[in-house]
Amino acid sequence: MPAGWFVPVTPGTRFVTVGGAIANDVHGKNHHHAGTFARHLRRFELLRSDGQRLICSPTENPDFFAATVGGLGLTGAITYAEIQLRRISGPFMDVETIRFANLDEFISLCAESESRL
């Protein structure tokens, strides 16, 4: 964040690692816009239990990429990852707080808020 970059998808906890975010294919409050963590994952290195190291991406070892993303760590350990970060203007967020009475009102308010993005 100090350099003006941030991950486009962050889960509701601050206690997550990049490997954990990949293994669980986490999503944030903005998943309807940003998708899950995997959408911003360019590639990673997978260390298999037999010692083999594989570079995985949507085009390189795509079967291992697909099995590892959301695979809960069953395919091996992620030793590094290349993630597409998002440019941010600063450490502050624009927040909108609106009280609602029921689910129908919530859905209506969400649609209204989304139309202003």
Side-chain angles (χ1 to χ4, degrees), residues 29-115:
K29 302 284 189 240
N30 62 344
H31 73 278
H32 51 290
H33 284 293
T36 63
F37 198 82
R39 183 173 174 190
H40 310 279
L41 181 61
R42 289 184 170 178
R43 66 186 186 149
F44 57 83
E45 182 183 65
L46 183 66
L47 175 60
R48 306 274 295 144
S49 60
D50 64 1
Q52 181 185 24
R53 292 176 178 267
L54 297 172
I55 303 300
C56 302
S57 75
T59 57
E60 190 173 355
N61 294 307
D63 291 343
F64 277 104
F65 183 87
T68 302
V69 171
L72 303 176
L74 296 176
T75 57
I78 296 166
T79 59
Y80 79 83
E82 185 178 313
I83 304 159
Q84 177 62 55
L85 298 178
R86 183 173 160 231
R87 175 66 96 178
I88 58 171
S89 58
F92 302 105
M93 295 186 291
D94 290 328
V95 179
E96 180 179 40
T97 304
I98 303 172
R99 293 183 183 266
F100 56 91
N102 54 47
L103 184 59
D104 289 334
E105 186 179 354
F106 170 74
I107 291 170
S108 176
L109 288 167
C110 282
E112 184 181 322
S113 291
E114 291 293 318
S115 69

Side-chain angles (χ1 to χ4, degrees), residues 10-25:
T10 55
T13 178
R14 64 183 179 153
F15 303 108
V16 66
T17 63
V18 171
I22 295 168
N24 290 280
D25 197 13

